Amino acid sequence: MCLTAFCSPKRTMRGGLVALLKRIGRLGFGTGYNNLSEETGASRAGHATEPLQADKDGPEADGSESCNVGPPSDREEVVGRKADDGRSSMSKVAVVTGGTRGIGEAISIALKDAGFVVAANYAGNDDRARAFTERTGIKAFKWDVGDFEACKAGLRQVEDELGIVDIVVNNAGITRDGMMHKLELDQWHEVINTNLNSMYYMTKPVIDEMRARGHGRIINISSINGQKGQMGQTNYSAAKAGVIGFTKAMAQETARKGITVNCICPGYIDTDMVAAVPEKVLESIVAGIPVGRLGQAEEIAAMVAFLASEKAAFITGAVMTVNGGQYMANG
């Protein structure tokens, strides 16, 4: 009997392994199979294998490829994501609305520190925006997030100057408080338009490009009052609750396209807005927070930076409650 007969299975295994490693190497992923899994959301784990109904009307319906990555043998799908997965955070562009003051300022700085190229949007205070840019080195762009055409033009300007938008942080918001029986129609519309309609205005212009690339991060800032409601804020509470619903629906639509959509609900944060609250009222607020203090803008920013990172690729449709235990939501 030929001795090579006993060696052929071993050689076959070795040859197959070499071929696999060479194949992975040609795709630009080195020899780290685990890296491929981590960067693409570990979709091979066997979760949710049934196709989403929403994608039947999307790019796949006209013959384009899905960006959901399976095992390395799915060559075409891996190649579909290769161009983006090779980009470092240094080359990824993040837009932060309301990004020059308060929580938004902290978010802009945290994302810059994490290596992203940041565009901080603002609505009206030119002097403050200029001072912000001089202090941080982050470019500020002026447009009204409650105006769809302005959002489209503003995002085009960002892409012309900084590059394709990879991350959108919908942070901008206003208040026009009043008890319902005294609330004027314009107070209702202003808050709904800026705080809720802006979700569509800021997401619609970038979503097709994100789907085509197979990567994106949309992070929406809601509020504790969108979870539990707040007397005197029917408009604000309704808008912020809508942000949560928007987040969960969008997450389902985009999950298989490599785009995560998450929401953060801050509690009472130590910003200029909260500092303007009368002292007695502020004391009663703090008394109702189990950790015994106001939150810091940097604590919200840290959560945003994490959700924007590749380490959060398996998190989507989540509502992150950051309120010191003041309101413990079930979802």
Side-chain angles (χ1 to χ4, degrees):
M1 179 179 293
C2 178
L3 292 176
T4 57
F6 293 99
C7 301
S8 57
K10 183 175 181 180
R11 289 181 178 179
T12 300
M13 290 175 62
R14 182 180 301 165
L17 177 59
V18 170
L20 175 61
L21 293 177
K22 285 183 177 179
R23 181 172 186 173
I24 294 174
R26 286 198 300 270
L27 292 176
F29 294 105
T31 58
Y33 183 87
N34 288 336
N35 291 339
L36 180 63
S37 173
E38 179 181 351
E39 292 179 6
T40 58
S43 59
R44 69 178 53 79
H47 302 294
T49 56
E50 183 178 349
L52 290 178
Q53 186 70 28
D55 273 348
K56 293 182 180 178
D57 298 324
E60 292 178 0
D62 59 17
S64 61
E65 298 170 357
S66 167
C67 293
N68 184 42
V69 178
S73 59
D74 298 335
R75 176 176 170 79
E76 290 79 12
E77 293 184 85
V78 173
V79 171
R81 285 184 62 99
K82 177 184 172 184
D84 184 82
D85 284 348
R87 298 171 64 197
S88 68
S89 61
M90 289 296 291
S91 63
K92 291 184 178 178
V93 176
V95 176
V96 182
T97 66
T100 63
R101 58 185 299 179
I103 293 174
E105 177 179 356
I107 292 170
S108 295
I109 293 170
L111 290 174
K112 181 188 176 185
D113 290 346
F116 295 98
V117 178
V118 180
N121 154 266
Y122 72 103
N125 194 326
D126 294 327
D127 290 339
R128 183 154 186 167
R130 191 177 302 110
F132 164 83
T133 297
E134 291 173 355
R135 186 173 67 255
T136 65
I138 297 171
K139 296 193 72 169
F141 296 81
K142 184 178 182 179
W143 74 81
D144 177 8
V145 297
D147 182 330
F148 186 37
E149 294 303 319
C151 288
K152 290 193 288 185
L155 287 165
R156 279 197 300 270
Q157 183 184 359
V158 170
E159 294 196 340
D160 288 344
E161 296 188 23
L162 302 180
I164 298 297
V165 173
D166 298 275
I167 299 104
V168 173
V169 182
N170 287 309
N171 167 73
I174 61 172
T175 58
R176 299 289 185 269
D177 295 350
M179 301 292 282
M180 186 62 183
H181 63 282
K182 296 182 178 179
L183 195 69
E184 299 294 336
L185 184 60
D186 62 341
Q187 292 176 291
W188 175 269
H189 281 309
E190 285 179 37
V191 170
I192 295 296
N193 193 49
T194 299
N195 297 7
L196 180 57
N197 291 348
S198 63
M199 299 294 120
Y200 176 91
Y201 299 160
M202 286 295 300
T203 304
K204 179 65 174 177
V206 300
I207 194 62
D208 284 345
E209 179 64 32
M210 287 183 177
R211 286 171 63 89
R213 291 198 320 275
H215 186 277
R217 297 283 185 268
I218 299 170
I219 302 165
N220 303 318
I221 307 301
S222 180
S223 168
I224 184 175
N225 292 342
Q227 295 176 298
K228 70 177 186 62
Q230 177 61 44
M231 183 176 67
Q233 287 193 330
T234 52
N235 50 4
Y236 185 83
S237 297
K240 291 301 188 178
V243 170
I244 296 172
F246 175 89
T247 298
K248 292 183 176 183
M250 273 290 298
Q252 294 176 61
E253 292 182 11
T254 62
R256 297 207 174 199
K257 297 299 180 182
I259 304 165
T260 64
V261 188
N262 292 293
C263 179
I264 299 172
C265 290
Y268 286 90
I269 306 300
D270 190 7
T271 62
D272 292 345
M273 184 183 296
V274 173
V277 173
E279 185 177 354
K280 292 289 187 183
V281 176
L282 188 57
E283 288 176 359
S284 67
I285 290 172
V286 173
I289 302 174
V291 301
R293 64 173 177 86
L294 297 173
Q296 297 299 309
E298 291 75 15
E299 293 173 304
I300 306 301
M303 178 66 75
V304 172
F306 171 68
L307 292 174
S309 74
E310 292 306 309
K311 294 179 180 178
F314 200 58
I315 301 173
T316 194
V319 179
M320 303 296 189
T321 299
V322 187
N323 60 33
Q326 187 177 7
Y327 180 75
M328 300 182 187
N330 293 323

